[in-house]
Amino acid sequence: KAGVTQTPRYLIKTRGQQVTLSCSPISGHRSVSWYQQTPGQGLQFLFEYFSETQRNKGNFPGRFSGRQFSNSRSEMNVSTLELGDSALYLCASSSRDSNTDTQYFGPGTRLTVL
Amino acid sequence: AQKITQTQPGMFVQEKEAVTLDCTYDTSDQSYGLFWYKQPSSGEMIFLIYQGSYDEQNATEGRYSLNFQKARKSANLVISASQLGDSAMYFCAMRGLDSNYQLIWGAGTKLIIKP
């Protein structure tokens, strides 16, 4: 089975721009979660999508949004970029068919905001 | 509130020695899961091992085992016979099974294996 894929792997943007990141989950997985990782704040949960619906949301401003398509692929959008948005964005997929299932991560997208 | 604490920011270990990475947690959930992930410098988060709060036996996966002490709220990762390729960041994470689905993460431990 192919793993979780994320595109692009690296991205450089300037303040004020917007960006869209993509995540393709493992085949058969319907849950996609997004996390932000920074040296200062560590790993923080952004949101989770399951069957095209946002199920959970972390404590991030409305500039961070996402969606999920019928094939379970998910996109994350950040509008009006700020320097502090520079981070590694990780996407994780799972089957969510039990409370004990495991989230498997993609390689991440490293976003740099100048 | 849920919290994960990893008290070892960094560790140096000689190759082939066993290593224990500490993790303590706090939660009010009755049911929860504990996970360990490895993150090499490439950035990808690699799942290592899972322990459920109601599992009576400690989880094992190859060279990885989890020393689960529920009363102490600790879930230490043990790597036997360490290898150079084990050098990476290691994260302990928890998910409350009664609450929402997100993983709560520790700050991580940077493990360096010396040849």
Side-chain angles (χ1 to χ4, degrees):
Chain A
K1 244 183 196 180
V4 180
T5 58
Q6 290 187 248
T7 56
R9 293 292 310 279
Y10 302 91
L11 208 48
I12 300 175
K13 293 285 188 179
T14 56
R15 278 181 299 173
Q17 287 187 310
Q18 75 165 20
V19 66
T20 299
L21 313 182
S22 179
C23 172
S24 292
I26 292 170
S27 177
H29 284 185
R30 293 192 293 162
S31 169
V32 173
S33 298
W34 289 89
Y35 294 85
Q36 182 197 64
Q37 186 178 23
T38 60
Q41 298 297 318
L43 281 145
Q44 296 184 91
F45 171 75
L46 281 155
F47 29 65
E48 183 219 356
Y49 285 86
F50 179 78
S51 293
E52 302 179 65
T53 303
Q54 187 181 88
R55 295 288 292 268
N56 295 293
K57 190 177 190 308
N59 190 24
F60 277 81
R63 300 186 298 107
F64 292 81
S65 63
R67 59 178 176 169
Q68 187 180 34
F69 302 95
S70 58
N71 62 357
S72 295
R73 188 177 70 86
S74 177
E75 287 182 347
M76 189 192 100
N77 185 273
V78 188
S79 62
T80 319
L81 284 166
E82 301 177 358
L83 295 179
D85 297 333
S86 294
L88 179 66
Y89 289 89
L90 292 163
C91 150
S93 84
S94 69
S95 57
R96 220 192 201 282
D97 55 11
S98 80
N99 283 331
T100 61
D101 63 24
T102 296
Q103 290 171 290
Y104 295 94
F105 285 78
T109 294
R110 195 169 293 277
L111 171 65
T112 301
V113 182
L114 302 176
Chain B
Q2 297 175 330
K3 187 178 179 182
I4 293 280
T5 302
Q6 293 181 255
T7 57
Q8 306 152 308
M11 286 186 72
F12 287 90
V13 173
Q14 203 67 39
E15 188 181 10
K16 298 181 184 174
E17 288 184 350
V19 56
T20 297
L21 304 180
D22 295 340
C23 172
T24 58
Y25 61 91
D26 191 20
T27 181
S28 56
D29 285 1
Q30 294 301 308
S31 300
Y32 49 89
L34 294 154
F35 302 80
W36 276 92
Y37 286 87
K38 170 185 177 182
Q39 188 178 43
S41 56
S42 59
E44 182 172 0
M45 200 68 78
I46 302 167
F47 167 71
L48 296 177
I49 197 166
Y50 166 83
Q51 178 84 43
S53 58
Y54 287 111
D55 293 340
E56 294 187 353
Q57 289 192 326
N58 287 340
T60 60
E61 289 284 351
R63 294 188 299 115
Y64 305 107
S65 61
L66 203 151
N67 184 1
F68 180 49
Q69 298 188 43
K70 193 171 180 177
R72 291 187 171 187
K73 292 191 173 180
S74 76
N76 298 339
L77 176 71
V78 180
I79 306 174
S80 64
S82 57
Q83 303 170 356
L84 296 178
D86 294 332
S87 294
M89 283 291 291
Y90 288 80
F91 290 94
C92 179
M94 175 174 64
R95 185 171 74 224
L97 303 181
D98 301 327
S99 56
N100 67 37
Y101 195 67
Q102 64 170 291
L103 285 168
I104 306 299
W105 298 85
T109 296
K110 183 166 186 176
L111 176 64
I112 297 175
I113 307 298
K114 300 182 292 184

